[in-house]
Amino acid sequence: MFIDFTLPFTNPVLKFLLILIIILFAPLLLNKIRIPHLLGLIIAGAVIGPFGFNLMERDSSIVLTGTIGLLYIMFLAGLEIDIADFKKNSGRSLIFGLFTFCIPMVLGILASIYLLNFNLLTSILLASMFASHTLITYPIVSKLGITKNQAVTITVGGTMITDTLALLVLTIIVGLSAGSVDNGFWIRLGLSLTLFGAIVLILFPLLGRWFFKRFHDNVSQYIFVLVVVFLGAFLAETAGIEPIIGAFLAGLAMNRLIPRTSPLMNRIEFVGNALFIPFFLIGVGMLIDYRAFFKDFETIKVAIVMTVVATLAKFLAALATQKSFRYTADQRRLIFGLSNAQAAATLAAVMVGYGIVTGHTETGEPIRLLNDSVLNGTILMILITCTIASFATQRGAGNIALSEASNTAQDSEKNLPKERILIPVGYPATAEELVHLSVTIQSKGNRDGLYALHVVPNATTDSTADRQGRRLLERAVMTAAATDNEMQELLRYDSDIANAIVSTLHEQKITDLILGLRPEREGEPFVPFPSATIDSVLTQNNITTLIYKPVQPLSTAGRLLVFVPDRAEKELGFALWIRKVWNMGRNTHTKVVFYASSSTLSQIRLQTKNPIEAEFHVFNDWDDFLILFREVRANDILLAVLSRKGGASYHKCMTAVPDYLTRYAPSNSHILIYPLQPCDPRHNDLNNASLLIS
């Protein structure tokens, strides 16, 4: 079959191959000369685009996948943001949002009137283009793992504010140009925005929790997420604002339902960073027409003024934010880098302004609100601001990542054993949830300290027991691998399951044990919680042990209720189990509610450097433990911190807690934590350790 190689290419296979080659090799080549790969993709788009070598046209397929990539960036920004920090720093986000909106608006209007001689309406629209920005460089921040830095949090929040205001200015300017701005216009706009916000922020989380609790298929969950992203974007368009705002709010709405350590989160990031986001960057590059700058001086003049004003305004906004909140120079660079790139909202504004015709010349030529010089100048501004933003973000984010890594390394140098988590798996129905819990509670730097154990009884007569056990272990390993964690398989033959688990603890130097219960089967008698086997394991080991009864997926949790006995801070493993609880709250974006005595609560507050969304309630009477069930809601996870006999916080009423959880909260997931005890010689180095949550 003859393949047409005439330019531009029309063969879909050849076009897709060309783009994949660019996505593969552009980062590899540019990293060697320290150019951010995002900038390389934009340059590559300009080279192969219609104004370069004309290898490809910017057709509907490029526009479609590029639109997906842009929405993906905004969705990830909302999905990865720390809700606790976002709420805590909402005031700072508002201040930065006003800085990064008002400063460009003022400078833009003055420059447009006095340097470019534009009328007031055109000047306001042009200034709104400077005020908006696109988080093109957010993937750099995400890749370096500093999305929870306060500078990132307030910049993402400020982006939503300034883009919304800029796009509202665009909507108003269009209305003024058409003469349709009246009382009805404002009423319709206000009602549509209110309805849109309510649907996305209230209805979407309810719909997501319902779906994830009932459908566990990986493909179905990912497609559901895409539906949510585009539904949010469509609703935003319907409300009269840009779809990027809808995608961002959809990310916020799904934030609590997609833990950062979950396989679903891994898939979302992988597909976006591998395909959709590069398509968007290449599509932006295809817009660059270098020939326009050789046609007339007016285009060059407009482009220079636009670029200088936009860059200066964003730098002043970042500088004002740094001075207001006493941030470091690297945080200022990070704020500037994230907020300087002009793309999505800027393109939307210039295309709308270019399409508005306010009159005609004597020769019949249309007089546009934004002329050809502004259109071409916008493309140059996009290229230059994206270039500056890429370098600024790379430098600021790189320095911050190195600083945080250094601090983490210093913490890990304390006398702490290497974290090793053992998960005995015996039932397919609970294996995946046990693995999900293990990757949720593990320390940030632990990627290879997970062990899955399956015990085959020596006396079994089932010839397929070995094969079934290996399949179950493979399933656990695959679940962990989907979260970029390495899990080791351990298959063991023993006459007693408890003895096999305890022997493995010593052989593999395990520091944490996660035990699950046999799933209840219809028609069978009541299954005690915990079982005789688990009781035997508890009496034969002294490491931190979690007993997990999953009723619903961990990602659908509404709150984490933690019941802590008096004097729990006197236990040797106090800081260790708090680390696990804090990691659960941080990784699942779930509010943690503590119930304990006032003295214990004060120690819990002292054991963290990175606050999460938490509440603290004084509770002293464990003899009246049942009263706490008044606070339990649907979708809450109940976590009780218990103690082995002889522990500093042991109370005889603790023996009834597992039974209470099963009988009075059967529809809630339960976790029992038995802290590390001092009689384990392998952990004597922890006696005087000062432990902080990493």
Side-chain angles (χ1 to χ4, degrees):
M1 182 180 67
F2 176 74
I3 299 179
D4 186 9
F5 287 99
T6 57
L7 301 180
F9 297 140
T10 57
N11 186 290
V13 176
L14 185 58
K15 291 167 60 178
F16 196 73
L17 173 62
L18 178 61
I19 291 178
L20 290 180
I21 291 174
I22 292 173
I23 295 174
L24 174 62
F25 288 104
L28 298 178
L29 295 176
L30 293 172
N31 282 344
K32 294 184 177 181
I33 54 177
R34 297 189 177 182
I35 295 179
H37 71 277
L38 301 180
L39 177 59
L41 293 172
I42 294 175
I43 295 174
V47 172
I48 69 169
F51 306 114
F53 290 108
N54 196 29
L55 300 181
M56 291 179 58
E57 291 183 344
R58 192 174 186 272
D59 55 17
S60 58
S61 63
I62 299 295
V63 173
L64 174 62
T65 50
T67 301
I68 297 174
L70 174 59
L71 297 180
Y72 231 96
I73 291 175
M74 297 303 296
F75 177 72
L76 282 174
L79 196 61
E80 294 183 348
I81 197 170
D82 190 308
I83 292 294
D85 278 348
F86 184 69
K87 290 181 178 179
K88 181 180 178 181
N89 298 298
S90 58
R92 297 189 175 194
S93 294
L94 177 61
I95 292 173
F96 168 69
L98 293 177
F99 277 152
T100 198
F101 174 78
C102 295
I103 294 176
M105 285 295 294
V106 172
L107 292 182
I109 292 174
L110 294 176
S112 299
I113 293 176
Y114 294 106
L115 296 180
L116 301 179
N117 300 317
F118 289 156
N119 60 46
L120 181 60
L121 208 61
T122 299
S123 298
I124 293 175
L125 180 57
L126 193 61
S128 72
M129 293 165 52
F130 304 152
S132 66
H133 58 256
T134 303
L135 296 173
I136 278 185
T137 59
Y138 186 84
I140 295 176
V141 173
S142 180
K143 184 177 181 180
L144 291 174
I146 60 168
T147 56
K148 298 186 183 300
N149 187 278
Q150 191 175 103
V152 178
T153 301
I154 70 164
T155 305
V156 172
T159 298
M160 181 179 66
I161 294 169
T162 189
D163 281 2
T164 300
L165 293 175
L167 294 169
L168 285 177
V169 170
L170 173 62
T171 302
I172 295 169
I173 293 297
V174 171
L176 289 172
S177 301
S180 60
V181 176
D182 53 16
N183 291 336
F185 170 84
W186 296 108
I187 293 174
R188 288 192 301 272
L189 183 61
L191 289 176
S192 62
L193 290 178
T194 302
L195 182 61
F196 157 70
I199 291 175
V200 174
L201 295 178
I202 298 176
L203 185 60
F204 277 22
L206 296 176
L207 182 62
R209 181 170 282 111
W210 174 86
F211 187 90
F212 291 144
K213 286 176 69 174
R214 287 162 177 80
F215 303 98
H216 304 147
D217 177 67
N218 296 329
V219 176
S220 298
Q221 288 187 347
Y222 181 76
I223 298 300
F224 173 78
V225 169
L226 289 184
V227 169
V228 167
V229 175
F230 281 89
L231 180 58
F234 174 74
L235 291 175
E237 277 190 312
T238 305
I241 58 177
E242 279 296 300
I244 56 175
I245 304 298
F248 176 77
L249 289 182
L252 282 181
M254 302 298 291
N255 186 286
R256 294 185 184 277
L257 300 175
I258 306 178
R260 58 191 293 270
T261 56
S262 66
L264 179 58
M265 185 66 172
N266 193 42
R267 295 185 187 97
I268 291 172
E269 290 182 332
F270 173 78
V271 175
N273 293 326
L275 287 177
F276 294 137
I277 295 176
F279 263 95
F280 165 68
L281 297 172
I282 292 172
V284 170
M286 288 184 175
L287 291 170
I288 299 174
D289 183 5
Y290 66 91
R291 298 173 300 181
F293 309 111
F294 300 99
K295 293 180 180 178
D296 59 85
F297 177 75
E298 183 66 20
T299 298
I300 299 176
K301 175 186 175 182
V302 171
I304 292 175
V305 171
M306 291 177 65
T307 304
V308 171
V309 171
T311 303
L312 177 62
K314 292 299 183 181
F315 177 79
L316 291 177
L319 182 62
T321 304
Q322 178 198 7
K323 298 301 182 183
S324 299
F325 306 127
R326 298 180 180 179
Y327 288 154
T328 65
D330 284 322
Q331 287 179 305
R332 184 200 67 226
R333 293 188 188 99
L334 185 56
I335 294 172
F336 171 65
L338 285 169
S339 62
N340 187 49
Q342 308 285 326
T346 304
L347 283 174
V350 74
M351 296 307 296
V352 170
Y354 185 77
I356 296 176
V357 178
T358 59
H360 292 82
T361 64
E362 295 180 356
T363 59
E365 292 294 325
I367 301 176
R368 303 181 183 276
L369 191 60
L370 297 179
N371 58 31
D372 291 314
S373 296
V374 175
L375 178 63
N376 292 321
T378 300
I379 302 304
L380 180 63
M381 180 181 69
I382 289 174
L383 174 62
I384 296 177
T385 56
C386 288
T387 302
I388 296 174
S390 297
F391 281 106
T393 304
Q394 186 75 46
R395 182 180 177 186
N399 291 341
I400 291 174
L402 287 175
S403 176
E404 291 185 356
S406 176
N407 293 336
T408 302
Q410 290 175 6
D411 288 341
S412 64
E413 287 173 1
K414 297 171 182 175
N415 296 324
L416 299 178
K418 181 180 178 181
E419 184 181 59
R420 298 171 183 265
I421 302 176
L422 177 67
I423 310 103
V425 291
Y427 307 99
T430 59
E432 289 189 6
E433 278 303 309
L434 291 175
V435 176
H436 290 164
L437 178 61
S438 70
V439 300
T440 301
I441 67 171
Q442 70 179 356
S443 300
K444 188 176 181 179
N446 182 12
R447 291 291 181 181
D448 58 355
L450 301 180
Y451 297 79
L453 169 69
H454 181 77
V455 181
V456 180
N458 282 331
T460 183
T461 58
D462 186 358
S463 59
T464 64
D466 181 281
R467 185 167 64 253
Q468 291 175 353
R470 294 189 185 279
R471 287 179 179 175
L472 191 55
L473 289 173
E474 289 175 1
R475 183 173 179 177
V477 170
M478 291 176 62
T479 303
T483 63
D484 284 338
N485 284 278
E486 181 181 347
M487 176 172 281
Q488 299 187 39
E489 303 176 49
L490 303 172
L491 184 69
R492 192 181 187 104
Y493 285 85
D494 203 297
S495 58
D496 184 85
I497 295 178
N499 288 337
I501 294 174
V502 173
S503 297
T504 305
L505 297 180
H506 293 285
E507 292 170 2
Q508 302 297 333
K509 298 181 180 179
I510 300 298
T511 60
D512 303 277
L513 174 64
I514 298 178
L515 299 171
L517 298 182
R518 178 172 65 82
E520 296 182 14
R521 298 168 184 170
E522 190 174 349
E524 287 190 350
F526 172 74
V527 179
F529 177 47
S531 64
T533 299
I534 292 179
D535 277 336
S536 178
V537 173
L538 285 173
T539 58
Q540 296 182 66
N541 87 86
N542 296 87
I543 67 173
T544 305
T545 302
L546 288 78
I547 303 173
Y548 184 31
K549 181 182 180 182
V551 175
Q552 65 185 62
L554 195 63
S555 61
T556 61
R559 298 179 303 168
L560 180 61
L561 306 188
V562 185
F563 310 125
V564 187
D566 190 27
R567 296 176 55 83
E569 70 275 14
K570 305 297 183 182
E571 299 272 6
L572 176 62
F574 175 65
L576 292 175
W577 69 255
I578 288 183
R579 176 187 299 193
K580 305 293 184 287
V581 173
W582 236 268
N583 284 342
M584 285 184 64
R586 181 184 62 183
N587 292 329
T588 62
H589 305 294
T590 303
K591 178 186 287 187
V592 182
V593 184
F594 289 95
Y595 293 88
S597 65
S598 56
S599 59
T600 301
L601 288 178
S602 64
Q603 292 299 315
I604 291 174
R605 288 189 176 98
L606 291 175
Q607 286 294 323
T608 177
K609 294 187 303 180
N610 302 310
I612 58 173
E613 189 174 7
E615 291 181 4
F616 302 89
H617 299 278
V618 176
F619 179 77
N620 293 303
D621 191 4
W622 272 61
D623 288 317
D624 196 18
F625 183 78
L626 288 177
I627 197 173
L628 291 174
F629 287 93
R630 297 178 182 177
E631 309 296 326
V632 177
R633 306 174 189 169
N635 302 313
D636 285 345
I637 294 181
L638 310 184
L639 192 154
V641 180
L642 305 180
S643 178
R644 299 172 176 88
K645 286 186 178 181
S649 63
Y650 179 77
H651 192 288
K652 61 181 180 179
C653 69
M654 288 181 176
T655 56
V657 170
D659 182 61
Y660 289 157
L661 293 176
T662 301
R663 293 184 183 277
Y664 297 104
S667 59
N668 295 86
S669 295
H670 310 148
I671 301 176
L672 303 180
I673 293 184
Y674 291 85
L676 171 73
Q677 295 292 329
C679 55
D680 188 340
R682 292 179 293 116
H683 298 281
N684 284 339
D685 56 353
L686 292 173
N687 281 309
N688 298 313
S690 175
L691 300 177
L692 293 172
I693 308 306
S694 62

